């Protein structure tokens, strides 16, 4: 096989090496290769390629490849985006200065943000740039004219390379023979050297730039692999040999950075990248590649690494085998080991976080950033983890968000409590709107408010003319209510303090007010409406209670709702009482008018009849004096006068009963009253038997009850055949007095009629029998005046039984 340097100039050899190194690579690898050329030529810190538009043509430049610095940091760097956008918009190179982004806290005050220069060159397309190739250099100096020309040539070549199909690349004339002399001149002027290693013979060729980078005297040629191995720093030798063997075994890309020990005694970092050439059998025969000095960029990266190491957030990087390649101080603390380098991440405490491991594997497989929050096992604090894939593995950024989560949780709890309190207040307001009386108000508070505070009972107090009144209570100690009701307001008490302060008062125990009523653990809510103090709402607890600030705020809001509801309830009660009084007055007036009309009608009818009879007798005697028996006339006249007198007396009694002019009731032993009234009657036509239960006490007017008994006995004596019986007994909560005769009885259809005024049965009663027709009506009116009843029923044998029931005296 002919040697390349025997048939081509040094310039063509450089171009050929560049083409061979990128032959057969995919688009992403080509982009990375181009970035390596640009970074090496400028001794830069980082390189980037941005596409002109994100998916769906949003127009936002998208970072597709980056070297040197973490892509996540570069994406968030706003100054980079501005320069990239300007280069895309103008279609011309842009060079601008910026400050390196360094995250730090108080302990990093010594770390300063170095100045950097960003050079962006558009990748030309048919109508508009398809992207931007940019280089980030340490320092504020702009690239030289030669460097700018090289970047422009490299951008043009990259655009052509990406636009050309690899399928027909072997059929065309080698691209480095094209008339693009600018790129050839730029490559010739670069500090990137090329090399060609004959694997079969061991011969190794370095061009002049490569010899310069490695510090080798060109006069020492020829060279072989031993010449190259002698340049590798002993500490880096194993790593370089492994990379070489791996490239030969996998037929993959050779890429390694190591320290070169130059023959003149100096040492520097170099980067080598190579591509295998295979024979027809697929065996590697040659490796062709490039080499460039990375000492300055390595120092810049180490400066960035120092900044990363001491920044406040944890940062670590792992390779594709999940071995730790970099950690800063905070990440080292989280990993819990002194020297985690080279250890598998999942063998460390992070391996306990299955969600983190799954997310890391997904980010690495899909090559997309992933974010999540985890609770770290070593310190139990919460961290926001940002996983960013990089070409050699994965980077992890961990920011402590424990305090933020606590604040968020507190804010969410406060918002949730506020929403629940607002809903509770709204529901209470609606329930209070339906409460029209103080009893309704107490029920609503007991059902909807007390459980929310774990309270045991409540009482609503009002104040009127300096005295306390219990308007309603639920499960409140009865002894305290008795001591408070109808009492004057003490000058020194919890109630008076709440009145003066006009704010709720919260008592944790009796010791706070030892001189006042024993309210115990309570909440005293003053009930205030504009221009008026209505009272208090007392909420009691069954044990000492210290209310939280949220509970006190809710109770303060409750006091306002109760105040308004109580004011409405009291207004409703006043209006209802006024309406009831008016209704009673109207009924009383109506009844009075009816009674007056009946009285007039009945009186005129009953008085006219005896007067008419008396007049007829007198006129007869006047016409026929000789035929008149004077004694008989006088006897009849006196009978009519007696009847008129009885009617007048009964009518007057009815009028007094109707006008409610009765005397004040007193406690009466009903058995003794019956015995006294029966003994006063003298001799009746029929004997009266008594069957009395002793000790039956009622509240009544004795004279009126005596009149009832007299009227019932008179009625029984008139209609009895042989005897009359008076009975007395207790029947439930009533005293039951019965008067029974053995007469003809009262037909069922007439049992209510006989209690009407001047009512008589045709067969049983007549004016000649001596009654006025008012006795039973008077008896029923007196019974009703005493909150009792009077009716007639049929006894087991024969006759009629009149039953009077009156309420017994309250034992208390």
């Amino acid at each position: 096989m002919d040697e390349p340097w025997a048939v081509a100039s040094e310039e063509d050899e450089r171009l050929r090496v560049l083409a061979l190194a990128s032959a057969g690579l995919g688009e992403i690898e080509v982009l990375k290769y181009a970035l390596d050329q640009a970074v090496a030529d400028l001794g830069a810190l980082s390189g980037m390629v941005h596409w002109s538009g994100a998916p769906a043509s949003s127009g936002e430049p998208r970072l597709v490849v980056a070297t040197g610095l973490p892509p996540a940091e570069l994406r968030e760097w706003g100054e980079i985006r501005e320069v990239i956008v300007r280069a895309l918009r103008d279609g011309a190179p842009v060079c601008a200065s910026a400050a390196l982004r360094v995250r730090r806290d108080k302990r990093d005050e010594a770390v300063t943000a170095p100045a950097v220069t960003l050079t962006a060159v558009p990748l030309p397309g048919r109508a508009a740039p398809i992207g931007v190739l940019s280089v980030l250099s340490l320092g504020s100096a702009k690239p030289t004219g030669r460097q700018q020309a090289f970047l422009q040539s490299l951008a043009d070549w990259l655009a052509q390379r990406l636009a050309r199909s690899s399928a027909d690349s072997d059929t065309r004339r080698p691209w480095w023979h094209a008339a693009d002399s600018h790129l050839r001149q730029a490559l010739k002027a670069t500090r990137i050297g090329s090399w060609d290693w004959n694997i079969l013979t061991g011969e190794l060729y370095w061009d002049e730039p490569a010899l310069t980078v490695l510090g080798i005297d060109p006069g020492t040629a020829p060279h072989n692999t031993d010449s190259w191995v002698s340049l590798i720093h002993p500490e880096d030798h194993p790593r370089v040999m492994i990379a070489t063997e791996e490239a030969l075994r996998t037929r993959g890309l050779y890429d390694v950075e190591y320290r070169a020990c130059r023959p003149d005694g100096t040492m520097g970092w170099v980067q080598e990248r190579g591509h295998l050439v295979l024979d027809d059998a697929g065996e590697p025969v040659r490796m062709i590649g490039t080499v460039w000095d990375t000492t300055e960029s390595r120092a810049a990266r180490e400066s960035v690494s120092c900044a990363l190491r001491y920044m406040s957030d944890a940062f670590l990087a792992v390779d594709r085998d999940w071995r730790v390649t970099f950690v800063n101080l905070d990440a080292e603390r989280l990993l819990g080991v002194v020297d985690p380098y080279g250890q598998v991440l999942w063998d460390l405490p992070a391996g306990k976080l299955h969600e983190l491991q799954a997310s890391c594997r997904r980010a690495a497989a899909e090559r997309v950033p992933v974010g999540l929050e985890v609770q770290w096992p070593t310190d139990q604090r919460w961290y926001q983890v940002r996983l960013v894939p990089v070409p050699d593995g994965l980077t992890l950024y961990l920011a402590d968000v424990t305090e933020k989560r606590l604040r968020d949780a507190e804010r969410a709890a406060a918002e949730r409590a506020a929403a629940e309190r607002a809903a509770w207040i709204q529901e209470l307001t609606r329930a209070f709107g339906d409460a029209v009386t103080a009893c309704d108000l107490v029920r609503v508070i007991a059902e909807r408010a007390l459980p929310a505070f774990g309270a045991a009972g409540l009482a609503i107090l009002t104040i009127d003319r300096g005295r306390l009144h219990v308007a309603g209570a639920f499960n409140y100690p009865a002894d305290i209510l008795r001591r408070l009701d109808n009492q004057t307001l003490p000058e020194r008490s919890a109630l008076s303090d709440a009145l003066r302060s006009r704010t709720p008062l919260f008592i944790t125990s009796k010791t706070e007010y030892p001189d006042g009523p024993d309210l115990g653990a309570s909440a005293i809510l003053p009930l205030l409406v504009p221009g008026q103090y209505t009272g208090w709402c007392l909420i009691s607890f069954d044990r000492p209670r210290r209310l939280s600030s949220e509970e006190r705020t809710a109770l303060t809001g409750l006091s306002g709702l109760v105040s308004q509801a109580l004011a409405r309830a009291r207004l409703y009660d006043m209006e209802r009482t006024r309406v009831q009084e008016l209704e009673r007055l109207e009924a009383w007036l109506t009844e009075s008018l009816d009674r007056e009309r009946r009285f007039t009608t009945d009186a005129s009818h009953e008085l006219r009849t005896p007067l008419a009879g008396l007049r007829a007798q007198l006129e007869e005697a006047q016409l026929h004096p000789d035929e008149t028996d004077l004694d008989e006339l006088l006897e009849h006249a006196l009978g009519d006068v007696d009847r008129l007198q009885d009617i007048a007396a009964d009518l007057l009694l009815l009028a007094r009963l109707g006008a409610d002019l009765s005397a004040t009731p007193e406690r009466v032993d009903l058995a003794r009253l019956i015995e006294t009234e029966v003994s006063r009657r003298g001799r009746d036509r029929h004997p009266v038997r008594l069957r009395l239960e002793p000790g039956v006490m009622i509240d009544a007017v004795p004279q009126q009850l005596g009149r009832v008994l007299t009227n019932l006995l008179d009625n029984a004596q008139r209609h009895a055949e042989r005897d009359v019986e008076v009975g007395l007994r207790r029947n439930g909560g009533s005293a039951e007095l019965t008067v029974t005769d053995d007469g003809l009885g009262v037909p069922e259809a007439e049992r209510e009629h006989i209690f009407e005024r001047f009512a008589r049965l045709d067969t049983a009663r007549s004016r000649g029998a001596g009654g006025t027709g008012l006795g039973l009506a008077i008896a029923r009116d007196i019974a009703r005046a005493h909150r009792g009843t009077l009716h007639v029923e049929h006894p087991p044998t024969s006759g009629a039984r009149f039953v009077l029931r009156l309420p017994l005296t309250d034992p208390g």
Side-chain angles (χ1 to χ4, degrees), residues 258-275:
Y258 61 90
R259 284 169 289 183
C261 300
R262 301 185 180 95
D264 60 2
T266 62
M267 184 178 66
W269 285 90
V270 296
Q271 178 83 34
E272 287 186 346
R273 180 168 294 178
H275 179 74

Side-chain angles (χ1 to χ4, degrees), residues 316-511:
L316 68 144
V318 295
D319 60 17
R320 296 180 179 180
D321 295 325
W322 304 108
R323 297 186 179 276
V324 177
T325 59
F326 178 84
V327 291
N328 66 0
L329 293 178
D330 214 42
E332 190 174 277
R333 176 184 60 81
L334 291 179
L335 293 180
V337 293
V338 177
D339 186 12
Y341 290 91
Q343 297 191 46
V344 177
L345 181 63
W346 312 126
D347 295 338
L348 301 174
K352 299 178 182 179
L353 302 173
H354 302 295
E355 182 183 3
L356 175 63
Q357 188 172 160
S359 298
C360 287
R361 296 188 185 279
R362 179 165 66 89
E366 300 177 2
R367 310 303 296 170
V368 293
V370 175
L372 72 158
E373 288 189 2
V374 297
Q375 188 175 21
W376 203 258
T378 57
D379 60 3
Q380 299 303 311
R381 295 182 68 81
W382 283 90
Y383 291 86
Q384 184 179 44
V385 184
R386 179 71 173 170
L387 310 174
V388 181
V390 295
D392 298 328
L394 192 70
T395 58
L396 293 84
Y397 301 81
L398 296 92
D400 192 333
V401 294
T402 304
E403 302 301 329
K404 178 179 177 298
R405 284 176 66 94
L406 291 176
R407 290 193 300 271
D408 292 345
E410 292 174 356
R411 181 172 60 254
E415 292 174 353
R416 185 168 56 254
E420 292 174 354
R421 184 165 58 248
W424 177 69
I425 291 293
Q426 183 177 7
E427 185 175 350
L428 272 181
T429 303
R430 185 166 52 250
F432 284 150
D434 297 334
V436 295
T437 66
C439 293
D440 294 338
L441 182 60
V442 169
R443 176 181 53 78
V444 170
I445 300 174
E447 292 177 355
R448 300 177 183 270
L450 295 190
F453 303 99
L458 74 96
I460 295 180
L461 302 181
T462 60
I463 184 169
D464 186 19
R465 296 184 180 90
R467 287 190 172 273
L468 305 176
H469 300 282
V470 178
F474 170 79
N475 201 28
Y476 206 85
D479 57 334
I480 297 180
L481 294 178
R482 284 195 297 270
R483 290 200 300 271
L484 292 175
D485 195 25
N486 203 31
Q487 299 297 315
T488 58
L489 178 64
E491 293 184 3
R492 177 68 177 92
S493 68
L495 297 178
S496 57
D497 285 355
L499 172 63
R500 282 188 292 268
S501 66
R502 303 176 69 84
T503 57
L505 185 63
F506 304 100
I507 303 175
T508 58
S509 65
K510 173 178 169 50
T511 57

Side-chain angles (χ1 to χ4, degrees), residues 527-587:
L527 305 180
L528 308 169
V529 293
Q532 183 182 5
Y533 185 84
T534 58
W536 303 264
C537 178
L538 309 181
I539 296 179
S540 65
F541 301 91
D542 54 7
R543 61 182 181 277
R545 180 81 151 80
R546 188 172 298 278
L547 297 169
S548 66
S549 59
E550 291 81 5
E551 290 175 323
R552 296 188 177 208
T553 301
L555 285 171
T556 301
L558 177 64
S559 66
L561 295 176
V562 176
S563 300
Q564 298 293 335
L566 181 60
R568 290 195 302 269
R570 296 184 69 181
L571 181 62
Y572 173 82
D573 289 340
M574 292 172 58
E575 292 299 323
R576 185 180 62 174
T577 301
R578 185 178 294 110
V579 169
Q580 290 175 345
E581 290 176 351
L582 291 175
E583 289 176 349
R584 284 196 297 270
L585 179 60
E586 181 183 10

Side-chain angles (χ1 to χ4, degrees), residues 104-238:
R104 61 178 182 268
D105 55 15
K106 293 182 178 179
R107 58 184 176 180
D108 304 328
E109 293 178 355
V111 180
T112 58
V116 294
T117 300
L118 178 64
T119 304
V121 181
L123 302 179
R126 292 183 179 181
I130 61 174
V132 174
L133 170 70
S134 57
V135 178
L136 195 65
S137 306
L138 196 63
S140 58
K142 295 183 178 180
T144 64
R146 182 198 61 75
Q147 291 172 329
Q148 293 182 18
F150 171 72
L151 290 178
Q152 184 64 63
S153 299
L154 187 61
D156 294 339
W157 170 81
L158 182 60
Q160 294 175 12
R161 174 64 177 79
L162 295 175
R164 186 171 62 249
S165 171
S166 60
D168 59 354
S169 59
D170 295 335
T171 62
R172 298 182 180 180
R173 189 165 67 94
W175 64 271
W176 58 85
H177 290 161
D180 189 357
S181 60
H182 296 290
L183 180 59
R184 292 199 306 271
Q185 295 173 3
L187 287 173
K188 184 176 181 180
T190 62
R191 295 166 55 192
I192 302 177
S194 61
W195 49 267
D196 190 337
W197 173 33
N198 190 322
I199 299 174
L200 300 179
T201 65
E203 293 179 298
L204 183 62
Y205 166 76
W206 285 303
D207 64 4
E208 183 178 351
L211 294 173
T212 302
V213 168
L214 297 175
I216 301 175
D217 184 0
T220 60
H223 305 104
N224 53 33
T225 53
D226 293 336
S227 306
W228 169 59
V229 171
S230 65
L231 297 174
I232 303 173
H233 192 284
E235 294 182 0
D236 298 338
H237 186 272

Side-chain angles (χ1 to χ4, degrees), residues 716-770:
Q717 289 290 340
R718 283 195 296 271
H719 302 292
E721 293 290 338
R722 288 181 299 275
D723 59 4
V724 175
E725 179 182 281
V726 178
L728 176 65
R729 63 168 186 160
R730 290 183 179 86
N731 186 0
S734 301
E736 185 177 278
L737 186 152
T738 59
V739 177
T740 308
D741 65 69
D742 57 355
L744 297 178
V746 181
E748 187 173 355
E750 301 290 341
R751 289 179 183 175
E752 282 299 315
H753 175 64
I754 63 174
F755 290 101
E756 297 178 2
R757 297 176 181 182
F758 303 110
R760 296 182 179 84
L761 297 182
D762 294 340
T763 60
R765 287 182 170 83
S766 67
R767 292 182 183 86

